[in-house]
Amino acid sequence: MQYKRILLKLSGEALMGEKQYGIDPKRLGEYAQEIKQVVDKGIQVAIVIGGGNIFRGLAGAATGMDRVQGDHMGMLATVINGLALQSALEMINVQTRLQSAIKINEVAEPFIRRRAMRHLEKGRVVIFGGGTGNPYFTTDSAAVLRAIEIEADVILKGTRVDGIYTSDPEKDKNATKFDNISFQDVLTKGLKVMDTTAFTLSQENELPIVVFDMNKKGNLLKIVDGENIGTTVNI
């Protein structure tokens, strides 16, 4: 296996599947199976999920809502998604722990770095909910922060696109895909991988990012097995 410990970043929108809102049980089950395959290979898996399928703080702010209130609602949405994924994983006998950056002791463990790492060492999947626990930070930033804290080997960003392109491949038929690209080239070319705060933090800590199509069956396992899937961003 190419990696020993990974952090998988999923968007909340990915959980919608074919729906317009909320969580698609079919898509949730598919993701759980993909994660189980990797866990069964002995890979330590941590996960950060967004909350955009339920509520997005920026969208609320755009309609006049207080940004801090909106972001707190978004953090709670990530906990809801985390609970859903935890349930899906436990249904197929994958031991899972949900840790939250905001205290909801009846629902999730508080985020404690050493406890999270111990869970991973014992082969449990750890889902990090609640973002960073602070407004004005995205779940991309939370993913990079947690990956650094738990000493993950890589961030695997699962999207509906199979990598990073010169432009949006869904709008531009002439867009070309990068197999590998440096952090500096991403910035120079103005490509969108993560928000600037998250991307800079990853660059400063020399933490590689792999952007790949999570919806294609088997892709996650192929990446940890060393296959060149998606686009790798590295120093």
Side-chain angles (χ1 to χ4, degrees), residues 4-5 42-46 95-99 109-128 146 149-152:
K4 179 184 176 184
R5 179 178 293 166
I43 307 299
Q44 297 175 17
V45 180
Q95 288 194 3
T96 309
R97 296 292 183 271
L98 173 62
Q99 293 197 343
E109 296 179 3
F111 169 68
I112 299 172
R113 175 179 175 267
R114 288 179 180 271
R115 184 183 289 179
M117 294 179 75
R118 185 66 177 143
H119 286 321
L120 291 167
E121 288 163 0
K122 288 187 173 183
R124 298 165 184 155
V125 171
V126 180
I127 302 170
F128 297 119
R146 295 290 180 253
E149 288 178 306
I150 65 169
E151 300 173 8

Side-chain angles (χ1 to χ4, degrees), residues 13-180:
E13 288 90 337
L15 298 185
M16 292 192 300
E18 301 302 319
K19 293 176 173 255
Q20 297 299 312
Y21 176 83
I23 299 168
D24 179 3
K26 181 174 179 289
R27 176 59 53 82
L28 196 65
E30 290 169 352
Y31 282 178
Q33 290 290 346
E34 294 291 304
I35 293 162
K36 178 176 168 46
Q37 289 179 355
V38 173
V39 172
D40 288 346
K41 291 286 187 180
I43 307 299
Q44 297 175 17
V45 180
I47 304 170
V48 170
I49 314 178
N53 57 320
I54 299 171
F55 189 84
R56 187 181 295 279
L58 271 174
T63 60
M65 179 180 286
D66 178 72
R67 173 66 190 273
V68 175
Q69 290 285 84
D71 280 354
H72 281 136
M73 291 172 69
M75 290 178 211
L76 293 172
T78 69
V79 175
I80 292 171
N81 284 339
L83 284 166
L85 184 57
Q86 180 183 35
S87 178
L89 286 165
E90 289 179 341
M91 283 176 65
I92 54 174
N93 300 316
V94 178
Q95 288 194 3
T96 309
R97 296 292 183 271
L98 173 62
Q99 293 197 343
S100 173
I102 50 178
K103 290 182 180 178
I104 322 178
N105 293 338
E106 290 78 13
V107 173
E109 296 179 3
F111 169 68
I112 299 172
R113 175 179 175 267
R114 288 179 180 271
R115 184 183 289 179
M117 294 179 75
R118 185 66 177 143
H119 286 321
L120 291 167
E121 288 163 0
K122 288 187 173 183
R124 298 165 184 155
V125 171
V126 180
I127 302 170
F128 297 119
T132 65
N134 302 287
Y136 296 98
F137 288 91
T138 66
T139 48
D140 279 348
S141 291
V144 176
L145 180 62
R146 295 290 180 253
I148 295 165
E149 288 178 306
I150 65 169
E151 300 173 8
D153 300 319
V154 66
I155 294 176
L156 303 181
K157 184 168 183 180
T159 68
R160 62 184 184 186
V161 181
D162 64 344
I164 301 170
Y165 285 76
T166 51
S167 58
D168 187 344
E170 294 181 347
K171 297 176 181 177
D172 182 3
K173 292 182 179 179
N174 297 318
T176 55
K177 178 174 170 281
F178 297 99
D179 290 329
N180 293 277

Side-chain angles (χ1 to χ4, degrees), residues 193-208:
V193 178
M194 289 180 165
D195 69 81
T196 307
T197 303
F199 192 76
T200 303
L201 186 60
S202 188
Q203 181 182 20
E204 287 175 351
N205 288 273
E206 299 183 6
L207 180 66

Side-chain angles (χ1 to χ4, degrees), residues 2 37-38 216-229:
Q2 185 169 356
Q37 289 179 355
V38 173
K216 186 171 181 182
K217 193 174 180 180
N219 266 1
L220 184 60
L221 182 60
K222 288 176 181 176
I223 289 172
V224 298
D225 205 20
E227 288 191 40
N228 190 19
I229 301 291

